[in-house]
């Protein structure tokens, strides 16, 4: 399915009203874990603190709004500090759970097990396509491939009328405007996923090791902090291009490139093509109930958009404060069930059903 930016905006606006809110439930008095049942779980009251991934900010904001509107005693804060800062906060014990665009590394998993006193959990919760977003007057449709994207971000392709871009867009009128690259300046799982894509499809061009720290990659252009910062920088600069979580590109009305994977027709970014890529991911569990995913960034499937990230919630299996553990379980139960319905209207793709069922079972075991 091919949709341009206007078509996507119309699609998302049209289904926004379909987002399902929780059924009314009261808070549970003074305790952290309530007994009143919401449509997707159980209400809790008290405070829950989280931080991390900026890519999931819009999803998390909606989930918190919906949960708190029906569970009046619940107070949940999510600070979009970036995936790296989120994991640091989780390992330090300053957050009840965190969001990250990359699962815990083996070393981080071991540290988290010590911090939790139980097995940590990487819980995929949101499929967030990474858009190649751009601002170029008169060019509403653009096709790029992996090697060309790598050359653009490394400063080897410098103008929009470069022969490499022309070859992929023979019918477009491309100006000689200089290309202004925008990348994430803060520690970011989005950066790590984007670099993993480049390493998979253009290993002779992008020769670095994928990392949350973009300064190691040698990207050309300017850095911007967090997902919103990247969107703002692209929006304010003619000729700009950057990688950003799709929901931020949609909210900023940015054009997004289709990707030529070599499988035939270029793949336009949509919730369906992103979900297809996530559905083909392999599970590489680090422990019982953990669902670390291995994505195929070099996929040539005809219906799969290749540049996606699956953003995780990272939590403990067992909390020293059982009421806190129950609160985490109740909120994440909503996110893994009814909360998935709201994602498409925000520019995300919901989890494939089989993966969502597995994640919901892991969440249910939190205590």
């Amino acid at each position: 399915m091919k949709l341009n930016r206007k078509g996507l905006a119309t699609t998302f606006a049209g289904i926004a009203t379909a987002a399902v809110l929780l059924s009314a439930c009261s808070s549970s008095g003074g305790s952290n874990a309530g007994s009143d049942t919401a449509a997707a779980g159980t209400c809790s009251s008290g405070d829950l603190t989280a931080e991390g991934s900026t890519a999931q900010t819009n999803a998390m904001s909606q989930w918190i709004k919906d949960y708190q509107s029906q569970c009046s005693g619940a107070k949940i804060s999510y600070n979009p500090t970036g995936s790296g800062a989120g994991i640091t906060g989780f390992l330090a014990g300053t957050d009840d759970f965190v969001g990250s665009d990359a699962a815990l590394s083996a070393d981080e998993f071991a540290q988290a097990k010590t911090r939790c006193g139980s097995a940590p959990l990487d819980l995929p919760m949101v499929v967030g396509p990474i858009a190649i977003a751009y601002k170029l007057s008169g060019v509403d449709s653009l096709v790029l491939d992996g090697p060309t994207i790598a050359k653009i971000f490394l400063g080897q392709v410098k103008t929009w009328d470069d022969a490499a871009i022309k070859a992929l867009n023979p019918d477009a009128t491309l100006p000689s405007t200089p290309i202004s690259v925008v990348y994430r300046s803060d520690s970011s799982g989005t950066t790590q996923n984007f670099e993993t894509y480049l390493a998979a499809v253009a290993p002779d061009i992008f020769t670095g090791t994928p990392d949350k720290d973009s300064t190691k990659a040698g990207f050309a252009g300017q850095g911007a902090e967090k997902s919103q910062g990247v969107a703002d920088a692209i929006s304010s600069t003619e000729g700009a291009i950057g990688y950003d979580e799709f929901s931020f590109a949609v909210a900023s009305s940015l054009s997004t490139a289709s990707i030529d994977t070599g499988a035939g027709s270029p793949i336009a970014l949509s919730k369906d093509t992103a979900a297809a890529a996530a559905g083909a991911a392999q599970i590489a569990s680090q422990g019982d109930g953990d669902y670390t995913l291995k994505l195929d960034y070099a996929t040539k499937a005809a219906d799969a958009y290749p540049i996606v990230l699956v953003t995780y919630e990272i939590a403990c299996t067992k909390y020293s404060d059982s009421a806190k553990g129950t609160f985490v379980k109740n909120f994440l139960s909503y996110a893994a069930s009814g909360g998935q319905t709201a994602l498409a209207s925000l520019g995300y793709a919901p989890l494939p059903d089989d993966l969502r069922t597995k994640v919901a079972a892991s969440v249910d075991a939190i205590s």
Side-chain angles (χ1 to χ4, degrees):
M1 178 175 65
K2 293 185 179 180
L3 292 174
N4 60 23
R5 174 170 53 83
K6 293 181 180 179
L8 284 166
T10 301
T11 300
F12 292 144
I15 60 179
T17 55
V20 177
L21 300 181
L22 293 165
S23 297
C25 64
S26 62
S27 67
S28 33
S31 67
N32 255 1
S35 59
D36 296 319
T37 300
T42 303
C43 281
S44 288
S45 63
D47 297 322
L48 209 56
T49 302
E51 66 172 311
S53 164
T54 64
Q56 64 175 253
T57 301
N58 296 329
M60 188 61 68
S61 295
Q62 187 67 53
W63 292 340
I64 291 172
K65 177 183 176 182
D66 291 349
Y67 191 87
Q68 290 182 160
S69 70
Q70 303 302 324
C71 302
S72 59
K75 296 180 181 179
I76 306 167
S77 65
Y78 183 82
N79 187 9
T81 54
S83 299
I87 290 175
T88 297
F90 186 73
L91 296 180
T94 57
D95 296 293
D96 300 316
F97 72 92
V98 297
S100 176
D101 303 339
L104 295 167
S105 67
D107 181 59
E108 290 166 344
F109 192 89
Q111 293 179 60
K113 189 172 183 179
T114 299
R115 177 257 159 157
C116 291
S118 62
L121 297 171
D122 292 296
L123 301 167
M125 205 65 74
V126 179
V127 179
I130 300 175
I132 304 301
Y134 66 96
K135 182 180 180 181
L136 189 62
S137 297
V139 182
D140 293 327
S141 178
L142 183 71
V143 176
L144 295 173
D145 61 11
T148 303
I149 293 170
K151 290 177 180 178
I152 287 172
F153 278 84
L154 291 172
Q156 298 173 20
V157 170
K158 300 179 184 295
T159 63
W160 282 103
D161 62 351
D162 187 278
I165 302 177
K166 281 185 173 181
L168 293 164
N169 300 273
D171 298 326
T173 301
L174 296 167
S176 59
T177 306
I179 296 175
S180 297
V181 171
V182 182
Y183 57 85
R184 284 284 291 273
S185 61
D186 55 321
S187 180
S188 165
T190 304
T191 293
Q192 185 173 22
N193 280 272
F194 175 64
E195 291 182 7
T196 302
Y197 164 73
L198 296 182
V201 299
D204 294 336
I205 302 168
F206 181 84
T207 58
T209 300
D211 197 278
K212 296 184 182 73
D213 183 357
S214 62
T215 63
K216 299 178 181 179
F219 288 148
Q222 62 172 315
E225 188 173 351
K226 302 181 181 179
S227 300
Q228 188 61 59
V230 171
D232 291 343
I234 297 171
S235 297
S236 62
T237 307
E238 178 64 19
I241 188 170
Y243 59 91
D244 206 4
E245 205 283 318
F246 187 36
S247 68
F248 288 86
V250 170
S252 297
S253 298
L254 293 171
S255 298
T256 61
S258 296
I259 306 300
D260 185 347
T261 64
S265 298
I267 309 297
L269 200 169
S270 74
K271 65 180 181 64
D272 296 317
T273 58
Q282 296 180 344
I283 295 175
S285 175
Q286 300 188 75
D288 291 342
D290 177 87
Y291 288 102
T292 300
L293 300 183
K294 183 177 180 180
L295 295 162
D296 181 8
Y297 291 95
T299 180
K300 294 186 183 298
D303 60 348
Y305 179 83
I307 321 175
V308 299
L309 62 82
V310 176
T311 182
Y312 299 81
E313 311 311 329
I314 297 173
C316 300
T317 301
K318 186 176 181 63
Y319 287 78
S320 57
D321 179 346
S322 61
K324 182 73 71 175
T326 299
F327 196 169
V328 171
K329 176 177 70 173
N330 290 344
F331 176 66
L332 295 185
S333 290
Y334 165 65
S337 51
Q340 295 291 304
T341 310
L343 292 179
S345 65
L346 300 172
Y348 300 99
L351 295 175
D353 285 345
D354 57 343
L355 178 59
R356 184 193 59 77
T357 299
K358 291 181 175 70
V359 170
S362 288
V363 172
D364 194 53
I366 295 174
S367 63

